Amino acid sequence: MSTVIPFPQRPTPTTPTEAGGISTGRTAPVVSAVYTVAETAEILRLSLGSTYALVRSGDIPAIKLGGRWAIPKRRLHQWIDGLPTASVEDVERELAAIERREQRHRNGA
């Protein structure tokens, strides 16, 4: 008959150094101050290509850091807050313009 000796329970790490990490002296996780272009595209619900085009043109506030674009979070949200809002008249005018273009296309085709 064999005897099984169970291993004692290991204590759960409570600090980064106990878990094998490096202590930075901070208790809160590091939060990035910038968005990537992909994150910005997701926030704006745009394609990645359209977002890169807006970044390159300077429409979206961004800086180039070491060959990569970084979009400062505060500046992006300020930019979004400063965008003009569309009124009902703006939407109606745009829909009428689309209808005119479609009508011209149907007549010309």
Side-chain angles (χ1 to χ4, degrees):
M1 185 167 171
S2 65
T3 305
V4 177
I5 302 173
F7 285 106
Q9 284 286 66
R10 286 186 169 182
T12 305
T14 57
T15 66
T17 53
E18 286 179 10
I22 298 171
S23 175
T24 60
R26 297 185 193 127
T27 57
V30 176
V31 178
S32 177
V34 297
Y35 290 122
T36 63
V37 176
E39 290 169 330
T40 302
E42 189 173 325
I43 290 167
L44 298 174
R45 304 289 193 265
L46 296 173
S47 70
L48 190 57
S50 295
T51 306
Y52 267 109
L54 289 168
V55 165
R56 281 189 215 104
S57 70
D59 289 327
I60 293 177
I63 54 174
K64 200 144 193 190
L65 298 172
R68 290 185 173 194
W69 285 104
I71 296 89
K73 288 182 177 182
R74 286 185 189 162
R75 288 186 54 205
L76 177 68
H77 292 284
Q78 288 171 347
W79 176 78
I80 291 170
D81 291 341
L83 290 174
T85 57
S87 67
V88 174
E89 292 81 22
D90 293 331
V91 174
E92 289 173 349
R93 208 171 18 255
E94 186 63 29
L95 290 173
I98 291 169
E99 181 62 34
R100 284 192 302 274
R101 281 193 299 268
E102 288 176 353
Q103 186 65 33
R104 280 194 301 256
H105 180 72
R106 282 192 294 260
N107 291 341

